[in-house]
Amino acid sequence: MIIIPAIDIKNKKCVRLVQGNPEFETVYSDDPIFQAQFWEREGAKRLHIVDLDGAFNGKPQNIDLIERIVQEVHIEIDVGGGIRDNRVIRALRSRGVHKVVIGTAVMDNRKFVRNLCKSDPEGVVIAIDASDGFVVKNGWKEITSTRAVDLLKEIEDFGVSEVIYTDISRDGTLEGPNYDAIETMLTVSDIPIIVSGGISSLEDLKRLKEYESMGLKGVIVGKALYEGKFTLPEALQYV
């Protein structure tokens, strides 16, 4: 199980939101590049970068900043936030981004995402963000009528290498993960899953590690690290 620190970028700063709401924003660093370097020094093997400006605007807004992060660290980086067409994907991949994270596009254009996964299975991650079990899209502003488990089953034959599953009701709350939902997602599909949302303690990581045999590949951790609930080296002891 890999531990992946999150870097959410908004207005060129490293921030965390609560349940994706921009009105509840905490700035943790004015320098996302320094923050990425810090996580690398702490032992991270991968970073999860979200262009929040891109998520809210429908297209990435921080490609140049992300490129600088890629240049300054030597670990794997995945990037999400407003990635909805081939031009943007090519721009990010050409700048050294290891994996692009596709969320809204999988709801709006299944054929496009299926073809994308077939052509670059290791370079594409599908994000399934859910509220009360239903998929949300467009920067978490729109709740759809599609259940997260149904979407996961539908994309099984896409050839995608991994899925990032986020329960947005827990994201940024430090209330602990939605274990029941995670277990359900792991049960209905063989696609490796990385989970996000609500991680608050080393005990959460310890419990999630028990799901490794069910296909849990990793955990994205944000606020718990920034708030000092535990350190990254401490978290890495659990993997």
Side-chain angles (χ1 to χ4, degrees):
M1 186 176 83
I2 57 175
I3 306 295
I4 308 171
I7 295 178
D8 292 359
I9 298 173
K10 186 171 181 284
N11 297 323
K12 308 299 183 184
K13 298 178 180 180
C14 181
V15 309
R16 296 299 295 170
L17 307 182
V18 176
Q19 298 176 336
N21 190 335
E23 295 183 7
F24 298 97
E25 170 190 314
T26 303
V27 176
Y28 287 101
S29 172
D30 292 332
D31 189 346
I33 298 172
F34 172 83
Q35 191 63 56
Q37 293 171 322
F38 173 77
W39 292 135
E40 182 179 32
R41 290 195 303 272
E42 288 283 282
K45 302 301 181 187
R46 175 172 167 179
L47 297 176
H48 176 67
I49 297 178
V50 179
D51 182 343
L52 288 175
D53 299 305
F56 296 137
N57 285 280
K59 61 181 180 180
Q61 305 292 304
N62 292 287
I63 289 180
D64 290 344
L65 176 55
I66 291 167
E67 180 182 14
R68 290 173 60 200
I69 293 174
V70 171
Q71 292 172 345
E72 294 297 330
V73 299
H74 304 91
I75 55 179
E76 191 173 288
I77 290 176
D78 67 63
V79 174
I83 302 173
R84 300 173 192 176
D85 62 63
N86 273 315
R87 180 186 59 80
V88 169
I89 292 167
R90 286 194 297 269
L92 288 167
R93 295 285 273 143
S94 68
R95 286 165 167 79
V97 171
H98 297 81
K99 297 176 185 289
V100 292
V101 182
I102 309 294
T104 294
V106 76
M107 293 300 298
D108 293 343
N109 192 341
R110 299 279 207 285
K111 183 178 179 181
F112 164 69
V113 177
R114 180 194 294 269
N115 291 337
L116 191 61
C117 292
K118 295 294 185 185
S119 64
D120 189 13
E122 295 301 320
V124 177
V125 180
I126 291 180
I128 299 180
D129 303 326
S131 176
D132 294 323
F134 289 91
V135 177
V136 296
K137 65 176 189 175
N138 291 325
W140 294 2
K141 296 190 293 287
E142 181 180 344
I143 301 176
T144 73
S145 60
T146 300
R147 295 197 310 157
V149 291
D150 293 334
L151 178 59
L152 182 61
K153 287 186 282 189
E154 187 176 342
I155 66 172
E156 272 206 288
D157 67 345
F158 280 26
V160 64
S161 60
E162 62 187 35
V163 163
I164 294 176
Y165 171 67
T166 303
D167 186 318
I168 69 169
S169 67
R170 304 295 180 98
D171 195 67
T173 66
L174 296 176
E175 292 179 354
N178 186 337
Y179 293 106
D180 290 341
I182 291 169
E183 193 166 331
T184 298
M185 294 290 280
L186 291 168
T187 301
V188 302
S189 173
D190 292 329
I191 303 172
I193 293 179
I194 294 170
V195 298
S196 173
I199 309 300
S200 62
S201 67
L202 292 173
E203 283 301 310
D204 287 335
L205 297 180
K206 185 176 180 179
R207 182 170 173 183
L208 287 170
K209 187 168 174 59
E210 296 174 2
Y211 294 151
E212 201 169 15
S213 62
M214 299 174 63
L216 183 67
K217 180 176 180 177
V219 179
I220 294 170
V221 186
K223 193 169 186 177
L225 287 174
Y226 290 103
E227 293 281 340
K229 301 300 181 182
F230 52 83
T231 67
L232 183 56
E234 288 173 336
L236 293 173
Q237 290 180 6
Y238 284 84
V239 303

